[in-house]
Amino acid sequence: MIIDQYNRVHDYLRISLTERCNLRCSYCMPEEGIKLRPRSDFMSLEEVVTMAQTFVSLGVQKIRLTGGEPLVRKDAKEILQELSKLPIELAITTNGILLNEYIDTFRSCGVRSINVSLDSLQEEKFNSITRRDYFKRVTANIQSLLNGKFHVKVNAVVIKGVNDDEVCDFVSWTRDRNVHVRFIEFMPFQGNKWDWSKGVSFKDMMTKIETRFGNNVIKLDDGKNDTAKNFAIANHLGTFAIISSVTNPFCDTCNRIRLTADGKMKNCLFSSSETDLLTAMRAGEDIEPLILKSVWGKKALRGGIETMEDFTKQKNRTMVAIGG
Ligand code: SF4
């Protein structure tokens, strides 16, 4: 088992397949984009599979593929097919643009849970947040997943003065759709010009929703390792949730580890320390002790970030180079 000093068992691995993306979301990708690096810096298909097998042999039961945008990787289908042979739950987080090309692969690989990023229900605003105009394609692909009875979560990063006016519209959107909308508090990463004056807290969002939906707001049970606090509106097909890493962290039940596309392990989303597994693996070293040591050294809370002020001082990667 991969366990830390706080007895948290880590059985959920998030693997970033690439730092490339076909969107330029303002809270994720620096305006100028990020410096593209040689392919040899990144895990090959075989290396992704070998890493995954090692983590699974240490007790990992769920793997989520992330990016950048994982589906822009040319061998994404092969990676999905290889990983689907492992005794795990396989899931993916995508921006939804290329989904239509992968629905059959998801079905044949047993991928049932798909997270799609969508920060606005308004085309113009979507285009300004993502700096691209794929709104119709993304929303049509979400509808195809729903028609295909996939478990669809829609992730929306809520930023004051940008899309906080749509929180209740997203909740209304769950009335006739079996979609699970997750509002994410704006988090600091390198290059995203974060300051909490742009943030909308869990409390602020719930005040908006309770003001609009009153007693129809129902608290749902949260899973043991859930990052989100789950709710529903009476008689709505879908549900909504809030992920409050900034104002109300949920680290005491954290079971997550991250592997970046260049093969570095992060024991926490906010940890600035990383363990280079890829170089070790390419040198023929046993990476298991490195994995166990990294998690054993994990901080209790947010990689050691205790206060808002700490957030402003922390050194981390860009979001696109971690994969959320
Ligand atoms: S901030 Fe770090 S420790 Fe807390 S839940 Fe996220 S990954 Fe886990």
Side-chain angles (χ1 to χ4, degrees):
M1 272 203 298
I2 310 173
I3 202 162
D4 67 20
Q5 297 170 69
Y6 309 95
N7 284 325
R8 295 175 292 192
V9 175
H10 292 70
D11 55 12
Y12 177 9
L13 175 66
R14 299 171 66 98
I15 303 178
S16 166
L17 292 186
T18 179
E19 294 183 350
R20 292 169 183 265
C21 187
N22 42 8
L23 288 181
R24 293 284 178 274
C25 303
S26 52
Y27 55 81
C28 175
M29 173 85 84
E31 188 126 23
E32 68 283 5
I34 62 168
K35 196 163 124 326
L36 292 180
R37 295 155 51 194
R39 188 185 293 269
S40 57
D41 280 14
F42 299 102
M43 294 185 289
S44 65
L45 180 154
E46 294 73 20
E47 289 166 336
V48 170
V49 175
T50 307
M51 289 272 193
Q53 286 165 338
T54 307
F55 278 96
V56 170
S57 71
L58 289 170
V60 160
Q61 296 172 2
K62 178 176 179 179
I63 292 180
R64 175 175 295 281
L65 301 179
T66 67
E69 168 50 38
L71 301 180
V72 299
R73 207 180 142 144
K74 298 275 172 299
D75 54 2
K77 273 189 183 151
E78 289 77 14
I79 291 175
L80 281 160
Q81 281 150 358
E82 287 304 313
L83 294 183
S84 69
K85 295 172 185 164
L86 298 173
I88 54 164
E89 179 194 345
L90 188 54
I92 193 162
T93 296
T94 168
N95 62 26
I97 296 168
L98 301 172
L99 271 175
N100 49 304
E101 298 170 24
Y102 284 82
I103 291 191
D104 294 344
T105 305
F106 292 156
R107 226 181 267 300
S108 62
C109 293
V111 176
R112 304 295 313 152
S113 171
I114 298 162
N115 290 18
V116 185
S117 308
L118 181 71
D119 304 301
S120 177
L121 294 172
Q122 301 166 14
E123 179 158 12
E124 226 174 287
K125 197 186 293 177
F126 173 96
N127 295 354
S128 78
I129 294 171
T130 64
R131 301 175 186 134
R132 297 288 184 277
D133 59 358
Y134 287 115
F135 180 76
K136 288 194 179 63
R137 191 144 156 202
V138 171
T139 46
N141 280 340
I142 290 172
Q143 194 53 52
S144 305
L145 288 179
L146 293 172
N147 298 348
K149 301 279 180 261
F150 284 91
H151 179 58
V152 182
K153 296 177 188 172
V154 165
N155 291 347
V157 176
V158 180
I159 301 177
K160 201 172 285 174
V162 176
N163 59 350
D164 57 327
D165 60 334
E166 292 187 69
V167 167
C168 291
D169 299 344
F170 268 108
V171 173
S172 299
W173 198 57
T174 68
R175 186 181 44 236
D176 310 319
R177 290 170 191 80
N178 187 12
V179 67
H180 186 59
V181 172
R182 304 178 341 144
F183 301 112
I184 302 174
E185 287 183 345
F186 182 32
M187 294 181 278
F189 294 101
Q190 188 194 322
N192 73 354
K193 301 192 179 73
W194 180 86
D195 79 63
W196 189 239
S197 69
K198 300 177 198 162
V200 184
S201 70
F202 168 90
K203 200 160 157 285
D204 295 345
M205 290 188 233
M206 284 311 293
T207 304
K208 286 176 189 285
I209 295 167
E210 282 158 357
T211 306
R212 168 81 75 80
F213 297 96
N215 300 336
N216 292 320
V217 178
I218 304 163
K219 179 72 187 81
L220 301 175
D221 293 339
D222 301 328
K224 180 163 74 67
N225 303 112
D226 261 4
T227 57
K229 296 163 185 70
N230 301 289
F231 302 85
I233 304 297
N235 306 318
H236 279 211
L237 271 182
T239 58
F240 70 92
I242 300 175
I243 299 178
S244 54
S245 307
V246 177
T247 63
N248 199 348
F250 32 82
C251 304
D252 50 357
T253 59
C254 182
N255 65 334
R256 291 166 293 282
I257 315 169
R258 288 166 173 84
L259 186 60
T260 61
D262 58 355
K264 308 275 188 336
M265 182 178 152
K266 289 174 73 73
N267 62 23
C268 165
L269 176 60
F270 294 116
S271 69
S272 44
S273 70
E274 300 180 353
T275 303
D276 186 350
L277 299 182
L278 186 58
T279 306
M281 192 166 81
R282 287 178 175 174
E285 280 175 47
D286 177 4
I287 60 172
E288 287 192 11
L290 298 175
I291 294 170
L292 298 173
K293 184 164 174 271
S294 166
V295 171
W296 186 254
K298 181 169 180 165
K299 298 274 186 354
L301 179 74
R302 293 187 300 211
I305 294 174
E306 308 272 342
T307 66
M308 276 300 184
E309 208 209 333
D310 292 345
F311 266 127
T312 55
K313 282 187 274 164
Q314 58 128 8
K315 289 272 167 287
N316 204 345
R317 293 178 173 226
T318 58
M319 175 67 151
V320 73
I322 302 173

